[in-house]
Amino acid sequence: MTNSTHNDTYQDNYRKHYLKITENVYPSVFALKFFLGNNPNFNFKKNINHDLSEKKLLDIGFGDGRDLSFFCDLGLSVFGIEVDDDVIKHSKAKFKAINVKISKGFNDNTGFNNDTFDFIYSVAALMYLRNESLTIKNILAHSYEILKPGGYFMGTFTKYNSHVMKEAKKIDSNRFILKDPFYKFREGQIYHAHKTKDEVISDLENNGFRNVIVSEYDIDWFGARERSFMFIAKKI
């Protein structure tokens, strides 16, 4: 079952938002912490071979592209996908000075073959569902397939009580249609939200991932409370 009215509303808002961003932007705090942070439970510089020149990274749902230049600076071979043709065209022009391979793709179907990437990174994009027939299992299973054995999967999931969930319409225990009264950017989007860390771990492990580490992100942006689960997992 699809919900074209809701998805069309979201798609229009999404397109307008990203086409307005014409300049390069700074890396997100998530990319900086994942890849440069001196974190006690996972330290990228200590866990990963320092030579990244032959390593491939896919950014699923790169948005305004704020992390693409940063990944290139690390020495990675960088790929990025987004869902909208206009955003793809706009991003290719914006990042033409750096060697990033940008293409159209979805979180459940990126268009890449199995065992392609050493790293898959996705912040604030894995929870989007194209229609009501999809679940988080479809998305995680696909990420597992295109990741190389020994590769790392890292990103975020939204917590059920984050600000974006306010006034959301419930489809089932984990899926909702967003209202997004704070920003109106995601209004109409079908969305998966997790309730607990154990739920995140279970979803990742049930789709083949191992060595799963999950932490919580909770910050009050002057009344808009952003709550997420951050995760790192490995394909053995």
Side-chain angles (χ1 to χ4, degrees):
M1 174 181 176
T2 60
N3 198 323
S4 59
T5 300
H6 288 299
N7 279 343
D8 288 347
T9 300
Y10 164 71
Q11 192 72 14
D12 288 342
N13 292 339
Y14 153 88
R15 185 181 296 112
K16 290 174 184 176
H17 175 78
Y18 285 124
L19 292 183
K20 288 188 297 185
I21 303 172
T22 59
E23 301 295 329
N24 203 353
V25 285
Y26 294 105
S28 68
V29 65
F30 293 105
L32 293 172
K33 282 293 187 181
F34 276 128
F35 289 88
L36 297 184
N38 188 24
N39 311 308
N41 294 334
F42 181 85
N43 188 308
F44 183 85
K45 292 179 286 185
K46 292 180 180 179
N47 287 75
I48 308 299
N49 189 317
H50 283 240
D51 182 10
L52 299 178
S53 59
E54 300 298 322
K55 304 294 186 182
K56 292 182 179 179
L57 177 144
L58 174 65
D59 187 339
I60 296 178
F62 60 78
D64 58 17
R66 63 180 56 240
D67 295 328
L68 297 177
S69 296
F70 169 67
F71 293 141
C72 285
D73 288 344
L74 291 178
L76 291 157
S77 178
V78 181
F79 296 73
I81 62 163
E82 268 294 347
V83 302
D84 185 83
D85 290 322
D86 290 336
V87 173
I88 294 295
K89 182 179 179 181
H90 174 75
S91 299
K92 284 183 176 179
K94 187 168 65 172
F95 294 105
K96 63 183 178 181
I98 62 175
N99 186 25
V100 177
K101 296 86 172 175
I102 291 172
S103 59
K104 184 174 181 176
F106 305 90
N107 53 15
D108 63 285
N109 184 4
T110 60
F112 293 102
N113 295 328
N114 291 359
D115 303 334
T116 297
F117 295 101
D118 301 282
F119 306 102
I120 296 175
Y121 168 88
S122 187
V123 167
L126 295 170
M127 60 286 295
Y128 290 98
L129 304 172
R130 286 195 280 165
N131 55 62
E132 290 184 31
S133 68
L134 291 172
T135 68
I136 200 68
K137 179 179 179 180
N138 303 109
I139 293 163
L140 297 183
H142 180 64
S143 291
Y144 185 86
E145 289 171 352
I146 63 173
L147 189 65
K148 292 179 182 178
Y152 285 89
F153 182 34
M154 56 190 75
T156 66
F157 293 115
T158 296
K159 195 171 183 178
Y160 77 101
N161 56 355
S162 187
H163 69 85
V164 71
M165 300 302 297
K166 185 177 175 63
E167 300 179 20
K169 179 182 177 182
K170 188 174 183 179
I171 297 174
D172 55 35
S173 60
N174 289 98
R175 296 185 302 163
F176 302 82
I177 297 173
L178 298 184
K179 183 69 174 174
D180 194 16
F182 287 101
Y183 303 117
K184 296 294 185 182
F185 170 48
R186 304 173 185 85
E187 184 177 10
Q189 171 62 38
I190 304 171
Y191 209 71
H192 182 103
H194 284 88
K195 298 182 180 68
T196 66
K197 289 172 63 173
D198 287 343
E199 194 174 63
V200 174
I201 293 169
S202 177
D203 279 344
L204 288 164
E205 290 184 343
N206 287 341
N207 284 280
F209 292 101
R210 295 295 180 263
N211 300 351
V212 179
I213 303 171
V214 179
S215 295
E216 295 192 43
Y217 177 86
D218 188 340
I219 188 167
D220 185 348
W221 292 109
F222 306 102
R225 193 71 171 267
E226 184 177 359
R227 295 181 172 97
S228 301
F229 295 105
M230 303 177 293
F231 71 88
I232 297 170
K234 193 172 183 179
K235 179 175 178 177
I236 303 299

